[in-house]
């Protein structure tokens, strides 16, 4: 098996055009020479060294670049998106302990949200989600809300937060697009209103941009479309251009200051063995170079326009209840939630494309470097498989 550009080559020699970008991470396509060169060079100098008591140049450089890009102040590196979320939750909980408000120990989160597969991340994901449902009673109980559809719902949430806000450490959300929970969109206005509500009730606002970060919705961060700065931001997936696992949790100076103390019990006690892995940091730095040097955001805007035009044909197919596009995310939602995912996948593979439906949605989230012709092959495959 091998990969190159937008293609996955199977062991039997067949080639598939990738519509999933390896769970949305492989934004520059596979085997980008700049990424490969950076990782290879780092491999020869130092693949890894512990990040306790020692720091290294690739991590320091990446940390300052991420702060510049996000407008936040302090970065904590971990080894996956789920751990980046765990770190965000733990930071929020300990922040309130350190500032003398330990009663703030729960989180507000949203239906259809997905924040990872570890226990803490599961607790703030949609409790009815198929992958987490069986553990509903075993994880911490959080407050799960519908994303407000309008002003009435926002006011209802405001009222509810007046009642329970003093128990809440933070609010966590996937900005603009809830991905794994069904590719559900909400508006930038709603996102901004939610941040305002969180702050009104004293909650830290945690943006999980593990899926939406790095251009996927048409701006480098989805939060930028709502013109908001979260208190804590989680990044992962495309952070390394999809080459190696890396998570980052980025916080404002206000949060950092609550931990900065000589007393050990106020420090943030978290240290994954492979935190800030040097190969992963080298890949992430190379990925950021590519965002600077190549027209990624323009490519996303072009993908958005093409998806809009070409997926529109799905609207009239029986069983399709919605077609929506945001940045390089194209979604066709079906009425049935009993889709035979395996047979769909097989039909797509037979057409030479890699598309993997999620629940009742068929979606495209290709690498940003995909050309018009390959993208047309993806959209045509969606249209014809759905027509069958
Ligand atoms: C994928 C994802 C995660 C989990 O990241 P992993 O690297 O798979 O642990 C968390 N939050 C969101 C929004 C994601 O899409």
């Amino acid at each position: 098996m091998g990969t190159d550009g937008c293609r996955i080559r199977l062991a039997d020699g067949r080639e598939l055009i990738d519509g999933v970008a390896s769970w949305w991470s492989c934004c520059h396509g596979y085997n980008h020479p700049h990424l490969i060169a950076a990782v290879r060079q780092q491999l020869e100098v130092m693949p890894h060294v512990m990040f306790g008591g020692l720091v290294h140049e690739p991590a320091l450089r990446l940390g300052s670049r991420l702060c510049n890009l996000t407008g936040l102040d302090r970065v904590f590196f971990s080894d996956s998106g789920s751990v980046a979320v765990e770190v965000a939750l733990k930071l929020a909980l300990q922040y309130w302990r350190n500032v003398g408000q330990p009663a703030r120990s729960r989180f507000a989160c949203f239906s259809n949200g997905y924040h990872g597969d570890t226990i803490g991340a599961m607790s703030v994901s949609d409790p009815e989600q198929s992958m987490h449902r069986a553990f509903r009673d075993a994880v911490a109980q959080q407050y799960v809300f519908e994303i407000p559809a309008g002003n009435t719902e926002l006011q209802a949430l405001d009222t509810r937060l007046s009642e329970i806000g003093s128990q809440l450490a933070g609010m966590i959300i996937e900005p603009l697009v809830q991905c794994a929970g069904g590719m559900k969109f909400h508006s930038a206005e709603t996102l901004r209103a939610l941040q305002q509500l969180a702050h009104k009730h004293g909650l830290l606002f945690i943006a999980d941009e593990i899926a939406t970060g790095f251009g996927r919705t048409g701006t480098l961060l989805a939060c930028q479309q709502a013109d908001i700065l979260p208190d804590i931001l989680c990044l992962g997936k495309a952070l390394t251009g999809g080459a190696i696992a890396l998570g980052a949790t980025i916080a404002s100076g206000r949060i950092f200051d609550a931990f900065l103390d000589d007393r050990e019990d106020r420090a943030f006690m978290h240290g994954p063995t492979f935190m800030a892995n040097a190969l992963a940091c080298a890949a992430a730095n190379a990925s950021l170079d590519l965002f600077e040097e190549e027209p990624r955001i323009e490519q996303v805007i072009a993908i958005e326009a093409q998806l809009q035009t070409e997926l529109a044909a799905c609207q009239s197919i029986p069983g399709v209840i919605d077609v929506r596009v945001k940045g390089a995310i194209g979604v066709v939602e079906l009425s049935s939630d009993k889709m035979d995912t395996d047979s769909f996948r097989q039909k797509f593979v037979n057409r030479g494309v890699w598309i993997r439906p999620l629940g009742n949605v068929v979606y495209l989230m290709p690498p940003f470097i995909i050309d018009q012709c390959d993208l047309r092959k993806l959209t045509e495959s969606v249209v014809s498989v759905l027509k069958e």
Side-chain angles (χ1 to χ4, degrees):
M1 191 175 176
T3 51
D4 188 37
C6 290
R7 290 205 163 45
I8 300 173
R9 197 175 54 255
L10 302 180
D12 61 12
R14 280 182 297 171
E15 276 198 349
L16 306 179
I17 300 172
D18 188 1
V20 187
S22 282
W23 276 322
W24 332 327
S25 64
C26 188
C27 53
H28 313 293
Y30 298 98
N31 307 30
H32 194 292
H34 184 62
L35 276 183
I36 291 189
V39 174
R40 181 174 287 149
Q41 196 195 2
Q42 187 59 44
L43 181 64
E44 280 163 17
V45 176
M46 181 184 73
H48 181 72
V49 68
M50 68 185 282
F51 207 64
L54 294 170
V55 292
H56 51 74
E57 194 269 344
L60 291 179
R61 178 144 179 271
L62 180 59
S64 71
R65 291 174 90 180
L66 289 175
C67 289
N68 281 337
L69 282 175
T70 60
L72 290 165
D73 306 303
R74 301 285 173 167
V75 182
F76 188 99
F77 289 114
S78 53
D79 34 24
S80 73
S82 298
V83 177
V85 169
E86 297 291 334
V87 167
L89 300 177
K90 195 165 155 185
L91 270 180
L93 291 174
Q94 193 178 341
Y95 170 84
W96 291 113
R97 274 155 220 240
N98 284 358
V99 301
Q101 293 192 50
R104 287 190 177 270
S105 61
R106 303 270 155 209
F107 290 91
C109 53
F110 295 96
S111 299
N112 302 309
Y114 172 83
H115 299 286
D117 290 342
T118 50
I119 297 281
M122 278 163 66
S123 80
V124 290
S125 298
D126 187 323
E128 291 302 326
Q129 212 160 50
S130 57
M131 37 195 154
H132 296 340
R133 199 184 299 131
F135 303 95
R136 210 172 48 183
D137 301 329
V139 301
Q141 298 303 301
Q142 313 291 10
Y143 290 92
V144 188
F145 300 103
E146 296 296 321
I147 297 220
N151 276 334
T152 320
E153 291 86 352
L154 267 171
Q155 272 160 20
L157 180 58
D158 189 11
T159 308
R160 187 74 183 117
L161 291 178
S162 311
E163 295 158 13
I164 59 166
S166 60
Q167 306 166 41
L168 297 179
M171 173 185 285
I172 182 165
I173 189 166
E174 293 164 86
L176 298 190
V177 185
Q178 296 178 298
C179 291
M183 302 293 167
K184 308 270 190 204
F185 300 175
H186 55 267
S187 69
E189 291 70 39
T190 301
L191 180 61
R192 189 165 40 234
L194 284 172
Q195 193 210 32
Q196 279 166 0
L197 270 192
H199 284 168
K200 177 177 172 189
H201 297 281
L203 281 59
L204 298 176
F205 188 77
I206 305 171
D208 177 353
E209 295 232 26
I210 291 166
T212 54
F214 300 103
R216 186 54 71 176
T217 67
T219 43
L220 195 71
L221 296 175
C223 279
Q224 291 167 345
Q225 292 178 46
D227 204 15
I228 58 167
L229 194 62
D231 300 296
I232 303 177
L233 172 71
C234 301
L235 298 174
K237 289 196 165 93
L239 172 58
T240 61
I244 313 184
L246 183 68
T249 309
I250 315 184
S252 66
R254 163 192 166 203
I255 295 184
F256 178 80
D257 290 344
F259 290 82
L260 188 61
D261 201 293
D262 288 334
R263 283 169 294 170
E264 200 170 85
D265 64 343
R266 290 174 67 92
F268 189 60
M269 289 301 190
H270 203 99
T273 306
F274 289 102
M275 70 193 286
N277 172 256
L279 292 175
C281 290
N285 275 311
S287 176
L288 293 186
D289 296 342
L290 292 175
F291 274 99
E292 286 168 12
E293 291 157 13
E294 298 187 1
R296 288 291 172 269
I297 302 297
E298 288 81 351
Q299 288 168 327
V300 171
I301 303 300
I303 291 171
E304 179 173 49
Q306 194 179 341
L307 287 172
Q308 251 151 4
T309 312
E310 294 175 5
L311 288 180
C314 293
Q315 244 137 12
S316 57
I317 301 175
V320 170
I321 54 173
D322 192 35
V323 179
R324 51 186 182 270
V325 173
K326 178 83 194 163
I329 308 175
V331 186
V332 182
E333 185 168 342
L334 308 177
S335 55
S336 162
D337 54 4
K338 292 188 217 56
M339 283 193 338
D340 184 351
T341 312
D342 283 343
S343 101
F344 263 106
R345 193 176 52 214
Q346 201 50 53
K347 284 176 185 163
F348 285 125
V349 168
N350 292 343
R351 285 170 191 275
V353 298
W354 179 243
I355 296 172
R356 195 166 182 267
L358 189 83
N360 67 329
V361 301
V362 178
Y363 72 90
L364 295 176
M365 284 169 82
F368 301 159
I369 57 140
I370 194 164
D371 63 30
Q372 278 189 7
C373 186
D374 279 357
L375 186 55
R376 187 163 318 111
K377 183 97 194 285
L378 290 174
T379 56
E380 277 171 4
S381 304
V382 170
V383 174
S384 29
V385 167
L386 288 180
K387 273 186 178 157
E388 271 176 25

